[in-house]
Structure formats: structure tokens, C-alpha cells
Amino acid sequence: MPFKKVGTDDYTSPSGRHFNSAQVRLYYSNGGKFPGQKMENGGMVLAKGMIPVNMKYAEGGPVLGRTRDFMKIPD
């Protein structure tokens, strides 16, 4: 969405809406999305040049056979 400067601290989008310079900077810093804007394909907004990475999370291992009593004198 290229913004066009129409006045001091006033920009116009192709749809005709007016934005100030802080809003335009926020738009470009988020990679062409405003905060809270719906994302495509349920993904997240990434910085320019970044690609999504599949994360591998920790998996549970086998249960250890060790048991330990913390009481010195059993009840």
C-alpha cells in the first residue's frame, strides 16, 4: 500500500483514507501490516525478509525408574 504525501504530516492511501506520519512508519515497520490486522492463512506477521521456521519443541522421554523418599523416618 503505497502512501502519497498530500500535506505536512498527512498521507493518503490508495483507498482515500488519511494517515499521519507515525501511522505510516508503523505500517512499514510491521512489514506492510497494521497492528491487529487480520493475517493471511492464519500466520503471523514477520519482518521484511524473514521466513517462517518450523519449531521443534521438547518431547517427553521415558519415565525414569528412580524413586526417592524425602522423609527420614517413615510414618
Side-chain angles (χ1 to χ4, degrees), residues 33-46:
K33 302 277 184 192
F34 284 111
Q37 190 174 2
K38 297 281 184 184
M39 278 134 296
E40 299 172 1
N41 301 329
M44 55 186 266
V45 175
L46 300 172

Side-chain angles (χ1 to χ4, degrees), residues 6-55:
V6 293
T8 305
D9 196 36
D10 188 24
Y11 294 84
T12 305
S13 68
S15 65
R17 294 183 63 192
H18 289 270
F19 297 94
N20 62 21
S21 62
Q23 291 170 323
V24 172
R25 283 194 312 264
L26 181 66
Y27 176 84
Y28 286 121
S29 67
N30 285 332
K33 302 277 184 192
F34 284 111
Q37 190 174 2
K38 297 281 184 184
M39 278 134 296
E40 299 172 1
N41 301 329
M44 55 186 266
V45 175
L46 300 172
K48 188 174 184 179
M50 291 182 63
I51 57 171
V53 178
N54 291 333
M55 301 298 291

Side-chain angles (χ1 to χ4, degrees), residues 62-70:
V63 178
L64 300 176
R66 177 180 173 195
T67 58
R68 186 170 183 167
D69 292 328
F70 291 97

